[in-house]
Amino acid sequence: MTTYGEIGELLPRRAESPSDGEREQSEDAFSRLLDGQQKAHHAALLAPVFTLGYVAGVRFGHTGLALAEVPLPPEDVAMALAPLIRHLEDIAPGDVVLYHGSVTHLHGRSRVHRVVTDQLGTRYDLEQRRDGFWVPSVWDVRRKSITPQN
């Protein structure tokens, strides 16, 4: 197996921007990954970062087929993008979020019922749909435990 040190010795050190083919492959992979799960303006902001990682992986040989045509779970995608998304938008009552906090049996889609901001910071009260009704589910949720959804 080739190591990073060997790659540096084998390849010239001239940098090149992503080729048209690499961009096309990256765009296709990105659209399949998100599958409409993020708002258009978020996707536009995240796409260049995704392209950078994708192209770097391809160029250094770390993208061999492991599970071809097997999509990643939306929850995994949301959790991976959460730190970036967190800084892109404020969350308001009525917004749908993906909850991934410490109350694991309540992980999944929730709606923000109330936003509380005080000296401790901003916390969110969430509700989930049960039997056709929105019912309170978890309180005092920190921002890092939720990801905005469409």
Side-chain angles (χ1 to χ4, degrees):
M1 182 172 164
T2 305
T3 65
Y4 283 111
E6 292 169 342
I7 289 173
E9 295 166 10
L10 298 174
L11 300 176
R13 292 303 218 169
R14 188 178 65 124
E16 292 185 30
S17 296
S19 68
D20 290 342
E22 288 170 329
R23 281 194 197 285
E24 287 176 21
Q25 290 173 4
S26 174
E27 288 169 6
D28 182 57
F30 188 62
S31 68
R32 288 176 187 229
L33 178 70
L34 292 186
D35 193 27
Q37 296 295 313
Q38 297 296 329
K39 295 178 181 176
H41 67 280
H42 289 171
L45 291 169
L46 297 170
V49 176
F50 180 86
T51 297
L52 178 68
Y54 184 89
V55 171
V58 168
R59 288 185 181 183
F60 289 104
H62 295 286
T63 57
L65 296 177
L67 296 172
E69 299 299 320
V70 176
L72 290 167
E75 297 80 20
D76 289 0
V77 175
M79 286 177 58
L81 297 177
L84 294 171
I85 297 294
R86 212 173 277 131
H87 298 285
L88 297 178
E89 135 178 331
D90 292 322
I91 297 175
D95 287 350
V96 176
V97 297
L98 180 68
Y99 173 68
H100 42 83
S102 60
V103 185
T104 57
H105 71 279
L106 292 175
H107 281 185
R109 291 175 69 88
S110 295
R111 185 172 74 174
V112 176
H113 173 70
R114 186 171 68 139
V115 179
V116 177
T117 303
D118 58 20
Q119 68 274 15
L120 299 175
T122 301
R123 304 287 179 147
Y124 303 86
D125 294 346
L126 305 180
E127 52 191 7
Q128 292 183 332
R129 197 152 179 100
R130 292 196 189 114
D131 298 322
F133 298 97
W134 289 102
V135 297
S137 59
V138 64
W139 299 263
D140 292 327
V141 175
R142 292 178 293 170
R143 179 64 180 88
K144 72 179 189 174
S145 298
I146 56 177
T147 303
Q149 301 294 290
N150 299 20

